Amino acid sequence: QVQLVESGGGLVQAGGTMRLSCAASGNIFSINSMGWYRQAPENQRELVATITSGGKTNYVDSVKGRFTISRDNAQNTVYLQMNSLKPDDTAVYYCNADSGVTVYWGQGTQVTVSS
């Protein structure tokens, strides 16, 4: 079992910067990959970025060059560094962990980018 605790959301002006954190606990060695998803009002949840246990990263095209996903040395915390934020980035952001068998989700954190 894996538990995910997110932090770092809030309100920011367009063009600003924000960093989200997700701390994993429990059977962290079962995690194959971690990522961030987001869901805007009236939209479906979409993948933002992922990082594998080997450090391979992947990003949705709309955030490429602006967002960076990373992990700590113990591989139990994942970060999402968000630069040059746009109003279209406004959404609830969810941390995700995938064991290959079970998918775990954080509680979600609101990110609001004002124009």
Side-chain angles (χ1 to χ4, degrees):
Q1 197 75 13
V2 174
Q3 296 80 43
L4 305 174
V5 179
E6 303 166 345
S7 62
L11 176 65
V12 66
Q13 287 267 25
T17 297
M18 186 173 290
R19 188 173 81 156
L20 306 181
S21 300
C22 176
S25 61
N27 188 16
I28 61 174
F29 294 105
S30 71
I31 298 174
N32 184 44
S33 64
M34 296 185 69
W36 291 93
Y37 290 67
R38 67 186 181 187
Q39 187 167 16
E42 303 178 4
N43 286 41
Q44 295 192 112
R45 188 173 299 185
E46 68 169 347
L47 173 69
V48 178
T50 60
I51 185 167
T52 70
S53 58
K56 182 74 172 183
T57 59
N58 185 55
Y59 301 90
V60 67
D61 286 343
S62 60
V63 309
K64 213 157 193 175
R66 300 187 298 119
F67 290 11
T68 303
I69 188 170
S70 62
R71 62 183 183 182
D72 70 2
N73 292 332
Q75 298 182 258
N76 63 349
T77 302
V78 65
Y79 304 94
L80 186 66
Q81 178 68 44
M82 304 185 292
N83 300 326
S84 302
L85 282 161
K86 305 174 180 180
D88 285 348
D89 296 318
T90 295
V92 177
Y93 283 70
Y94 296 90
C95 182
N96 164 276
D98 190 350
S99 71
V101 177
T102 306
V103 176
Y104 305 93
W105 294 95
Q107 78 281 7
T109 184
Q110 176 71 48
V111 173
T112 302
V113 184
S114 64
S115 59

